[in-house]
Amino acid sequence: MARVVIADAGPLIAFAGIDRLFILRALFSRICITASVRDECLVAEGVDAQRIAASIRDGWLAVEAGSGESVPLTPSLGLGESDSIRLALEDREHSLLILDDRLARRYALRKGLNIVGSVRLLDLAERRGLIQSAEASIQQMSDVGYRVSIGLLEQVRTSPCGFH
């Protein structure tokens, strides 16, 4: 069971963009983010940034202090992804990383981290009755420019219920 849930910026921005941050709060009650993820989420003015800022103020989205130098782990990973992975590595067995970027997911899996993506979370939210349709939410994410496909939902629904 995950004791610490850590989110990367992409999923937060996507859920905020379609006004579905309540799903993350309902599923996990508390999510940690790094300062670099916070900065990435709040850099552009918009309703998604306002929703994320409100979640930070409410306290369920908690900014964790970094434990060292904040630099990308590899040239293909962003600063937020790298810092999120570092934070998850501090307690590898008991952390769950919400992450969508393909290269970041591969890196995290190679490091033995538990990960979950936005599509699986939307499927879980539908199954728990938090939303009526995961498909509709995925389409909304796609409509606001987040790179996610409904085809991935079918893969999620036919794969084992693990969090990778």
Side-chain angles (χ1 to χ4, degrees):
M1 181 80 174
R3 282 189 235 155
V4 179
V5 179
I6 302 157
D8 184 39
L12 289 176
I13 293 167
F15 277 86
I18 64 167
D19 199 16
R20 299 286 188 276
L21 282 172
F22 71 87
I23 292 171
L24 299 178
R25 187 174 190 177
L27 292 176
F28 301 113
S29 72
R30 183 174 189 273
I31 295 177
C32 299
I33 61 172
T34 64
S36 57
V37 166
R38 176 203 56 214
D39 295 346
E40 187 177 336
C41 289
L42 302 181
V43 71
E45 292 182 21
V47 70
D48 54 342
Q50 293 169 5
R51 290 172 178 152
I52 292 168
S55 298
I56 293 169
R57 284 192 304 275
D58 290 347
W60 72 267
L61 197 55
V63 181
E64 297 292 318
S67 63
E69 188 178 4
S70 182
V71 296
L73 290 166
T74 71
S76 61
L77 295 180
L79 191 56
E81 295 157 347
S82 295
D83 289 346
S84 296
I85 289 170
R86 276 191 199 89
L87 183 58
L89 285 169
E90 290 179 13
D91 191 359
R92 176 186 328 241
E93 289 182 30
H94 300 107
S95 63
L96 176 64
L97 185 55
I98 303 171
L99 189 63
D100 285 337
D101 179 84
R102 184 180 310 163
L103 293 175
R105 288 171 67 89
R106 285 183 188 158
Y107 187 93
L109 288 172
R110 280 196 310 270
K111 294 294 184 181
L113 293 173
N114 298 307
I115 62 171
V116 64
S118 296
V119 172
R120 185 169 297 276
L121 294 177
L122 289 169
D123 180 53
L124 184 58
E126 180 183 314
R127 291 172 192 262
R128 292 193 179 173
L130 298 171
I131 57 173
Q132 292 218 336
S133 169
E135 290 95 342
S137 293
I138 291 167
Q139 185 60 54
Q140 287 178 310
M141 283 181 176
S142 182
D143 291 346
V144 298
Y146 196 67
R147 294 181 61 195
V148 64
S149 74
I150 291 177
L152 186 56
L153 181 62
E154 187 59 36
Q155 291 175 15
V156 163
R157 288 182 170 166
T158 59
S159 72
C161 271
F163 277 120
H164 333 103

